[in-house]
Amino acid sequence: MLQVAFIRENKDHVLKGLAKRNFTDASKKIEEVLTTDENRKTIQTELENILAESNKLSKEIGILFKSGEQQKATLLKEKTGQLKERSKQLSEQLATAQNDLDNLLYQIPNIPNTIVPEGKGEEDNEEIFREGDIPKLHDKALPHWELAKKYDIIDFELGNKITGAGFPVYKGKGAKLQRALINYFLDKNTDAGYQEVQVPLMVNEASGFGTGQLPDKEGQMYHVTGDNLYLIPTAEVPVTNMYRDVLLKESDFPILHTGYTPCFRREAGSYGAHVRGLNRLHQFDKVEIVRIEHPNNSYDALDGMVNHVKEILQELKLPYRILRLCGADIGFTAALTYDFEVFSTAQDRWLEISSVSNFETFQANRLKLRFKNEDGKSELAHTLNGSSLALPRVLAGILENYQTENGIEIPEVLQKYTGFKTID
């Protein structure tokens, strides 16, 4: 979340940033934040003054008792009792005021970087790069969900029987190709310096708030109500929360992690032809990269992450493009996001396969993730993450773009992982 001091000192900048996001009632929300914070500070000041006076009187009482002035000491004890009662009231008021302030701040998204384009929706995202030739398919080319059925490699109906729509069963060469992609992505990431971690698939409420999924995306997360745990929508959540309430040293930077996890998203309200097959699932596999960076280096790190994902797609030889998301389409927690989309030839449409984002201090402020700078002062770190990569739509792109009349070819870079060259 944003820091109150930052909002107060950069009010016009914050309002302009929220306007770029088309955030409604921005001025009203910001004024509520500043007013609530003023109230919180007033209560805190009174509480601190009372505690200081109470400590002073306690020392005086000790001296009076020692000198035999019992009556004066008794009167002061009565006063300290009154101060104690008042401090208790103020402590409760302060906790309420802090809670009110936090709840307001949780509703305010991150401020977009100045290079984030204006826009009303995804149609205003800015294409900044495109690479790869779109293959010309044979006349009988099929979309991936029909290829999956033809070659018996993914069974959507069986998944629907076991669980429900959006939970496919991968079979035979389909399962092996899935595993090959996971291993390939992890190897690419670890070769680039990312340390592999294996993390829990459920997180507690504090972790959800730490990375910003709560309360913003609460309706999209599967909630295990009996234990108040959430199934993760992305490995970003548990991996980044490894550093919640951590104080780093400057020498710790950069911190790079990668992890493979299944991911779970309710995707409420997603219907229609555009979500068929692997286009949108409730459970899917993803390999994630997460970085914790010094604020001075985070945008260089973001460029490095973008280039890393580009290299993977170049090796897979899939046609792709990169979009800089506009203010209306950028995620709640992000300051700048680049989306990668692969072209689905059989569907004649672009499919998002990766988002790479810099959150600057937004997550770190929630996480209380700080480092000691060279002056010995605590400062918020910057957090970044990216998909490297999400499997369903990469798999869809491979099935559709690599299909021939005789079967589906396997990208050369994956063949050492699959142990086969074609699906037929």
Side-chain angles (χ1 to χ4, degrees):
M1 59 188 174
L2 298 177
Q3 295 173 279
V4 179
F6 177 84
I7 294 173
R8 191 178 298 281
E9 294 165 14
N10 302 275
K11 185 178 174 182
D12 289 343
H13 171 69
V14 169
L15 289 173
K16 285 179 182 177
L18 294 177
K20 185 180 278 191
R21 282 181 170 273
N22 301 316
F23 184 76
T24 55
D25 294 329
S27 294
K28 181 181 176 182
K29 284 287 183 193
I30 294 305
E31 286 305 322
E32 279 187 79
V33 166
L34 297 178
T35 301
T36 303
D37 186 52
E38 283 297 333
N39 179 52
R40 180 196 62 80
K41 288 197 291 186
T42 299
I43 295 169
Q44 185 170 342
T45 299
E46 185 180 352
L47 177 60
E48 289 172 352
N49 289 339
I50 284 177
L51 291 175
E53 186 179 356
S54 183
N55 287 336
K56 180 183 175 184
L57 290 178
S58 293
K59 291 177 182 177
E60 289 181 14
I61 290 167
I63 294 170
L64 289 171
F65 271 124
K66 285 181 181 179
S67 60
E69 299 184 67
Q70 304 286 342
Q71 190 174 358
K72 287 184 179 180
T74 301
L75 288 172
L76 288 183
K77 279 193 76 173
E78 291 177 4
K79 188 174 183 180
T80 58
Q82 295 169 357
L83 291 175
K84 186 176 180 180
E85 183 61 32
R86 179 59 180 157
S87 68
K88 181 182 176 182
Q89 295 171 355
L90 288 170
S91 294
E92 292 171 354
Q93 291 175 23
L94 182 61
T96 300
Q98 184 64 57
N99 186 60
D100 290 344
L101 179 61
D102 288 343
N103 286 334
L104 285 170
L105 290 170
Y106 285 144
Q107 298 172 44
I108 299 173
N110 203 355
I111 303 306
N113 186 285
T114 54
I115 68 170
V116 171
E118 304 276 353
K120 301 292 185 183
E122 61 181 27
E123 65 278 0
D124 296 314
N125 292 336
E126 183 178 79
E127 183 176 325
I128 62 169
F129 188 81
R130 186 183 292 210
E131 188 172 46
D133 297 324
I134 296 173
K136 293 181 179 178
L137 301 181
H138 58 90
D139 293 338
K140 295 181 180 179
L142 300 171
H144 70 268
W145 54 86
E146 293 187 24
L147 291 167
K149 188 171 184 178
K150 178 180 178 179
Y151 296 108
D152 195 26
I153 54 175
I154 309 172
D155 196 324
F156 295 100
E157 292 178 4
L158 184 57
N160 192 25
K161 170 188 171 182
I162 296 168
T163 308
F167 295 88
V169 174
Y170 298 86
K171 302 164 67 177
K173 286 186 174 181
K176 285 188 176 181
L177 179 54
Q178 185 87 339
R179 179 156 47 92
L181 282 165
I182 293 166
N183 288 334
Y184 164 62
F185 293 153
L186 286 172
D187 284 351
K188 284 293 293 183
N189 296 344
T190 54
D191 287 348
Y194 291 86
Q195 182 191 57
E196 184 177 351
V197 291
Q198 193 173 75
V199 289
L201 303 184
M202 290 191 286
V203 294
N204 55 32
E205 198 171 63
S207 294
F209 275 95
T211 43
Q213 280 69 32
L214 297 176
D216 180 55
K217 294 288 189 298
E218 187 167 11
Q220 293 295 333
M221 296 174 73
Y222 285 99
H223 188 195
V224 183
T225 54
D227 298 301
N228 196 27
L229 297 174
Y230 293 84
L231 289 170
I232 62 169
T234 166
E236 168 204 345
V237 183
V239 175
T240 310
N241 270 279
M242 289 164 54
Y243 295 90
R244 177 157 43 93
D245 297 319
V246 169
L247 181 64
L248 301 167
K249 302 186 294 291
E250 280 196 287
S251 58
D252 292 326
F253 297 120
I255 295 170
L256 291 77
H257 288 302
T258 185
Y260 153 69
T261 63
C263 302
F264 305 88
R265 298 183 188 178
R266 294 186 61 239
E267 297 289 4
S270 298
Y271 306 100
H274 69 289
V275 300
R276 287 192 67 179
L278 297 171
N279 288 351
R280 187 159 297 174
L281 301 175
H282 294 303
Q283 178 181 324
F284 61 94
D285 292 318
K286 184 152 68 86
V287 176
E288 197 80 358
I289 49 176
V290 170
R291 297 180 73 129
I292 314 294
E293 292 281 352
H294 190 287
N296 294 345
N297 302 327
S298 68
Y299 278 96
D300 286 340
L302 182 66
D303 291 340
M305 294 169 77
V306 168
N307 289 331
H308 178 67
V309 176
K310 283 170 68 173
E311 186 178 317
I312 292 174
L313 291 169
Q314 287 164 355
E315 289 188 359
L316 289 172
K317 296 181 181 177
L318 288 171
Y320 71 96
R321 67 179 184 176
I322 304 174
L323 304 177
R324 182 186 290 126
L325 298 194
C326 72
D329 202 33
I330 196 170
F332 186 89
T333 54
L336 179 62
T337 295
Y338 293 104
D339 268 8
F340 284 76
E341 296 182 338
V342 66
F343 193 75
S344 168
T345 308
Q347 297 180 74
D348 192 31
R349 58 190 290 254
W350 293 97
L351 301 174
E352 180 198 332
I353 51 147
S354 174
S355 285
V356 182
S357 301
N358 189 346
F359 306 104
E360 296 184 357
T361 61
F362 193 85
Q363 288 182 333
N365 190 32
R366 290 181 172 217
L367 295 160
K368 294 183 174 58
L369 167 54
R370 293 177 166 83
F371 68 97
K372 286 280 188 182
N373 62 24
E374 58 185 11
D375 297 323
K377 296 180 180 178
S378 292
E379 189 176 340
L380 290 171
H382 279 197
T383 62
L384 305 91
N385 91 280
S387 311
S388 181
L389 290 163
L391 272 73
R393 293 172 183 173
V394 172
L395 184 56
I398 289 172
L399 296 179
E400 294 184 3
N401 292 334
Y402 276 85
Q403 66 178 299
T404 70
E405 292 185 74
N406 300 316
I408 301 165
E409 297 176 349
I410 300 300
E412 185 178 352
V413 73
L414 294 178
Q415 290 174 14
K416 69 176 182 179
Y417 293 96
T418 60
F420 54 85
K421 296 183 179 181
T422 59
I423 296 173
D424 51 24

